[in-house]
Amino acid sequence: MVDYARAGDMAADQLHAGFLLFGDPGAGKTHAACLAPKPFIVLTEQNGLTTVRRANPQAVVAVVTTVHALREILGLAIRGELPEACESLVVDSLTEVQRLFQDEIMAGKRNGEPFSLQDWGTLTDKMRRFMRTIRDIPYNVVCTALAETRISEADGVRYVRPAFQGKKTPMEVAQYFNGVAYLFKRATQDADGKDVVVHRAMLEGPSNYTTKPCHPVTGVVEPRVDNWFAALAGTTTADKA
């Protein structure tokens, strides 16, 4: 029998959401992702640990450098068995996850054998299956990715999108998330005239940027992912105080 209910009657803990944060190195992706509610963080690079400890010392962290370990964690997440009463799964980063899949394919080839057209198709399928699994787990999800810039040969427009192998992969990955934010930083001055660097997340912007708003998280905002999820649940940080 199919379960159904009016959307407005569903409890907040039934509403799991996903955000993709992408940007250049140093844009604050890892720091922002760590602010997800009670996160279990999958780090594909150990050097991210210093940022995690600074941003959220209570976060549960696993450094994952193999596809086997990644699949073990996905199995736990699918069954709702992440440890420490975690409420969110953070994957930092999807760009590196795709490279792990590529390494897995290359490990099955003979020495010197090139990456073939069929291999590219296999890589796309692996990434698609991974994203479908991420979409369907019973947790909030935050993933990060590097940004890449491409100049259109047709009109010279500068396009900024998540960095993945495969022409269609960036848009395919983006469709699995409720919100897609481009993170950036800029130099400015505070009220006292001192030079400061501020970080921002753009969920709505020019069409040459891959972004997607998730109402009420829209426009250009502070990369406070904790407040984003609170807003989606119908509360704010101030309401909880």
Side-chain angles (χ1 to χ4, degrees):
M1 183 176 179
V2 177
D3 293 328
Y4 61 90
R6 290 186 178 89
D9 295 334
M10 300 179 79
D13 59 5
Q14 295 178 268
L15 306 177
H16 301 112
F19 285 97
L20 172 62
L21 314 178
F22 76 102
D24 295 329
K29 302 181 298 295
T30 301
H31 188 280
C34 292
L35 301 180
K38 297 181 180 178
F40 184 100
I41 301 174
V42 177
L43 279 180
T44 56
E45 297 181 3
Q46 190 161 353
N47 58 10
L49 282 172
T50 55
T51 300
V52 175
R53 290 186 66 182
R54 184 174 67 252
N56 188 350
Q58 300 304 315
V60 181
V61 185
V63 179
V64 171
T65 57
T66 67
V67 172
H68 176 72
L70 181 64
R71 290 183 177 128
E72 280 192 10
I73 292 173
L74 282 184
L76 293 173
I78 291 167
R79 297 189 298 271
E81 296 176 356
L82 290 181
E84 304 287 341
C86 293
E87 296 178 6
S88 305
L89 177 68
V90 173
V91 179
D92 184 26
S93 70
L94 289 182
T95 304
E96 189 61 29
V97 165
Q98 189 185 45
R99 290 174 184 153
L100 291 178
F101 287 138
Q102 190 169 3
D103 290 344
E104 182 182 47
I105 295 171
M106 288 299 298
K109 300 172 73 67
R110 294 187 295 272
N111 288 339
E113 188 177 357
F115 211 73
S116 67
L117 185 61
Q118 182 178 353
D119 293 329
W120 285 114
T122 301
L123 179 61
T124 298
D125 288 341
K126 285 177 178 289
M127 198 66 185
R128 188 179 294 122
R129 288 196 297 270
F130 177 79
M131 293 312 307
R132 285 174 177 165
T133 302
I134 288 289
R135 175 195 62 190
D136 295 336
I137 65 174
Y139 295 93
N140 294 313
V141 173
V142 179
C143 296
T144 71
L146 288 172
E148 68 173 1
T149 300
R150 292 193 177 184
I151 307 298
S152 170
E153 294 181 0
D155 52 19
V157 174
R158 173 177 173 267
Y159 289 91
V160 181
R161 64 183 192 175
F164 295 109
Q165 298 284 352
K167 186 175 181 180
K168 296 181 180 180
T169 303
M171 297 308 295
E172 285 197 15
V173 169
Q175 75 176 345
Y176 288 104
F177 294 91
N178 301 89
V180 179
Y182 172 66
L183 270 62
F184 62 95
K185 60 183 179 180
R186 64 184 181 188
T188 186
Q189 291 185 329
D190 62 16
D192 298 323
K194 295 181 179 179
D195 293 333
V196 294
V197 175
V198 297
H199 294 260
R200 292 291 182 266
M202 181 172 67
L203 291 103
E204 288 182 290
S207 59
N208 56 314
Y209 283 78
T210 301
T211 59
K212 183 196 297 186
C214 182
H215 187 78
V217 186
T218 63
V220 179
V221 298
E222 290 189 34
R224 290 299 306 255
V225 172
D226 50 345
N227 288 344
W228 298 2
F229 281 107
L232 290 173
T235 61
T236 66
T237 301
D239 293 331
K240 293 181 177 180

